[in-house]
Amino acid sequence: MTQQGVRWTADQVLALAPDAASRKAGSKLGAAGPWSEAGSSDEGTVWGLCKGSGSKPYQTVVDIADTAGPAYKCSCPSRKFPCKHALGLLLLWAGGDGAVPSGQAPDWAGEWLAGRRKRTEEKRAAGAPGSPTAADPEAARRRAERRAERITAGAGELEQRLTDLLRTGLASAEQAGYGLWEETAARMVDAQAPGLAARARELGAIPSSGPGWPVRLLEESALLHLLDQAWLRREHLPDGLAATVRSRIGLPASPDGPPLRDHWLVLAQYDTTDPKLTTRRIWLHGTDSGRTSLLLSYGAAGRAPDLALPMGLALDAEVSAFPGAGQLRAALGEQFGAPSPTTERPRGVTTTQAAVHYGEALRHDPWLDAVPVTLDRVVPTPDGDSWQLADADADLALPLTSTARSRPGLWRLVALSGGAPVKVFGELGHRGFTPLTAWPEGAGEPVSLC
């Protein structure tokens, strides 16, 4: 349950926004002016009527206590979730100035809430063992075998393409252009190996990526060859590494670890998009176990995934790990209460310890792009045309990635620091460090840098 007196911060609300435009539009609606009949309940429901361009106000309701994260309903025509009205309503509620008093939900909000929770229970029942929709294990085994055969054929074809590349020389990749690798990627899609397809497309983009591209092309070709060979010889790999290879190839997997109940701090949430899919990454930190886990959820192009957990909140819940050596992905299980504010912070490490951690992680997963790291007492400092996070207690620093340097979050980090040490959570890889969340020294709310 969400207690009426427990409020989120504005940063935690805006972290739910699907894009910068929604964040800006929602902020404008976070004042009482356009709202009427707003209210909230101890069960975690917030509702209100927002005046729009038409004669009839938009009916907006948010279920904060939903076990999959906040759920939204608005009568506006927007396809974004949450829409600007839902964000504005939550900002109004987060202000805690009496603009959203406690009360009884109106019929239109109560009916939506009851219907949603009924559908959730029906889905759970449908997925229970022995239900009519339960999967046929034998049929699933046959499908898996057929898919493995197709992937093996695709992997053999990809090996031939890589051999041709090395025999004719890397310069041939620049002459052939992107089309050759796009064709190869399409063949990997036909072979039902989306992981190989994605890496093939990345190879096609490297020759146009600027100075030094031959070195990068050779490095990525070697990693793709390693993944290809690992699949073809998967029977000889340790179980954990074989599971990692299947995941990198793109085979679906189910969490197989025992559920771990903990108070999970939401470290960061951000989305990445491509023409067909929106992928949401949510990093969690277990305050008791010290474990860091990654939740992945997906939405169709232009639609935000359903799962949303605002940064800086904590939830009492179970998570189950996915198979694979060194894998951090997990599935969110039963929640024992709605996310709520917390003063907990993850334990940090030095820049040297962070680099060592990344190197150790590569032993378990050579295809790993980055690892989650919390850095203690670092200061953002300029480094020529770039930026770095300098260790306040040692003459060492980690460079920021080009992605981090292009985000507005860099300037929020610089402003938060003001030249003083801060604690920063982010992702560390061979291209540098990408900060996602920061905390000031001493007391203070976390700041999203995504």
Side-chain angles (χ1 to χ4, degrees):
M1 297 293 182
T2 298
Q3 298 176 355
Q4 176 62 27
V6 176
R7 304 282 174 169
W8 297 355
T9 66
D11 273 349
Q12 288 163 345
V13 171
L14 293 175
L16 298 169
D19 52 40
S22 298
R23 191 177 297 114
K24 182 177 180 180
S27 297
K28 293 180 179 179
L29 294 175
W35 292 96
S36 61
E37 300 182 30
S40 61
S41 72
D42 289 344
E43 288 73 31
T45 309
V46 185
W47 61 86
L49 301 177
C50 186
K51 181 176 176 57
S53 56
S55 58
K56 189 175 181 180
Y58 296 123
Q59 297 176 335
T60 308
V61 57
V62 182
D63 179 13
I64 303 170
D66 190 279
T67 56
Y72 320 92
K73 173 66 176 178
C74 186
S75 59
C76 75
S78 175
R79 296 183 61 194
K80 296 181 179 180
F81 292 93
C83 67
K84 62 181 181 181
H85 306 102
L87 290 170
L89 178 61
L90 286 176
L91 287 171
L92 189 66
W93 167 76
D97 58 1
V100 185
S102 179
Q104 181 69 35
D107 290 344
W108 55 268
E111 290 172 1
W112 171 78
L113 184 64
R116 178 176 178 82
R117 292 182 176 172
K118 180 180 178 181
R119 290 191 296 273
T120 298
E121 291 301 321
E122 289 174 347
K123 288 180 181 178
R124 288 177 180 171
S131 67
T133 58
D136 178 355
E138 181 59 25
R141 184 189 64 80
R142 291 194 296 269
R143 287 195 298 270
E145 288 180 350
R146 291 194 296 269
R147 181 171 185 178
E149 291 172 358
R150 285 192 287 268
I151 294 173
T152 298
E157 184 176 339
L158 182 56
E159 278 295 283
Q160 186 59 53
R161 184 58 55 86
L162 292 173
T163 300
D164 293 343
L165 172 65
L166 295 179
R167 185 175 60 250
T168 58
L170 297 181
S172 64
E174 186 175 33
Q175 297 167 359
Y178 185 77
L180 176 65
W181 291 106
E182 180 58 34
E183 177 189 346
T184 302
R187 295 287 294 167
M188 296 306 103
V189 170
D190 292 340
Q192 295 186 284
L196 294 180
R199 288 183 174 271
R201 289 194 178 95
E202 290 173 3
L203 288 185
I206 290 176
S208 60
S209 62
W213 69 262
V215 174
R216 293 192 294 275
L217 180 60
L218 185 60
E219 291 173 346
E220 294 302 322
S221 296
L223 284 173
L224 182 53
H225 169 70
L226 182 64
L227 180 57
D228 221 23
Q229 287 297 314
W231 168 262
L232 295 173
R233 303 177 185 181
R234 61 193 181 281
E235 294 86 357
H236 306 291
L237 300 178
D239 291 344
L241 182 56
T244 297
V245 169
R246 289 193 292 270
S247 173
R248 293 297 180 186
I249 288 288
L251 286 174
S254 299
D256 64 354
L260 173 63
R261 182 174 178 179
D262 205 336
H263 287 84
W264 297 95
L265 173 63
V266 184
L267 294 177
Q269 172 183 294
Y270 67 96
D271 295 349
T272 57
T273 59
D274 61 36
K276 296 183 179 180
L277 193 69
T278 297
T279 302
R280 173 162 294 167
R281 290 170 171 81
I282 301 177
W283 285 108
L284 302 179
H285 172 75
T287 56
D288 297 329
S289 65
R291 178 184 295 183
T292 301
S293 295
L294 173 64
L295 305 180
L296 292 178
S297 56
Y298 304 93
R303 299 287 296 270
D306 289 337
L307 181 62
L309 297 173
M311 174 274 303
L313 299 185
L315 61 156
D316 181 6
E318 293 180 339
V319 302
S320 298
F322 277 72
Q327 296 300 296
L328 297 177
R329 185 184 175 189
L332 183 63
E334 182 177 359
Q335 294 189 45
F336 303 94
S340 59
T342 180
T343 58
E344 291 280 355
R345 297 183 178 189
R347 182 179 178 181
V349 299
T350 66
T351 54
T352 299
Q353 291 169 328
V356 170
H357 174 58
Y358 177 52
E360 292 175 344
L362 288 175
R363 291 191 304 176
H364 299 292
D365 185 355
W367 308 279
L368 190 65
D369 290 326
V371 294
V373 172
T374 301
L375 298 173
D376 253 341
R377 293 183 52 76
V378 291
V379 181
T381 57
D383 179 26
D385 294 333
S386 184
W387 282 81
Q388 60 185 4
L389 291 181
D391 194 318
D393 304 312
D395 190 21
L396 297 168
L398 292 176
L400 296 189
T401 61
S402 58
T403 299
R405 298 195 300 270
S406 64
R407 287 177 175 173
L410 171 60
W411 304 112
R412 290 199 293 271
L413 176 60
V414 173
L416 179 69
S417 167
V422 291
K423 180 190 289 282
V424 183
F425 169 77
E427 297 171 349
L428 174 63
H430 64 281
R431 293 185 178 89
F433 186 83
T434 302
L436 301 175
T437 305
W439 297 261
E441 287 275 274
E445 297 288 345
V447 175
S448 174
L449 309 175
C450 301

